[in-house]
Amino acid sequence: MKIHRIRKTMHSVGISTIRYGLVINLLEIGRIKFEDYEVENIRPLVTSSPPLAWLIARLGEKNVARLLGVTEIVLGSLIGAKPIAPRVSALGSLAAVGMFATTLSFLATMPEAWQETHGEPKLSLAGQFLVKDVVLLGASLLTAADALHAAERR
């Protein structure tokens, strides 16, 4: 009986840590998209991505960075709304799944993601930066499932 309570507590604390860690990441990463240095940092990512490159041609780099920033801030806010609006939170988490799947696609579209000078291809610093999105994608799936479960209980 005691192990069951410990497991439930650990599960609850773990899901909350994942949820609000994801929220903090999205809010902070979204916020810095409004800084000029971040426009420079994301340039190789977005210019080599077919889904985003056309946006740059239409809106310009600074506006695309800001659009991404607003998207990340909105998704972080939606995910964090679980206690008051679990369905909205689930929607935000599912949208984040799409966003992280898109950023993971940069591993295939961005030549700078790989170092090929050391034998077989290895992740570069840019590739290492991108691969963390696998964890964020998994966190988004877990928070979506958790929010949908909370919505069903209401």
Side-chain angles (χ1 to χ4, degrees), residues 76-131:
S77 300
L78 294 175
I79 294 166
K82 185 210 168 205
I84 56 173
R87 283 187 174 88
V88 167
S89 179
L91 180 64
S93 292
L94 291 171
V97 167
M99 182 182 71
F100 291 123
T102 300
T103 59
L104 283 168
S105 76
F106 296 166
L107 286 169
T109 61
M110 188 175 107
E112 297 89 0
W114 299 94
Q115 298 181 55
E116 298 183 24
T117 58
H118 306 290
E120 79 278 358
K122 294 180 179 79
L123 288 172
S124 67
L125 285 175
Q128 292 171 41
F129 168 77
L130 290 170
V131 81

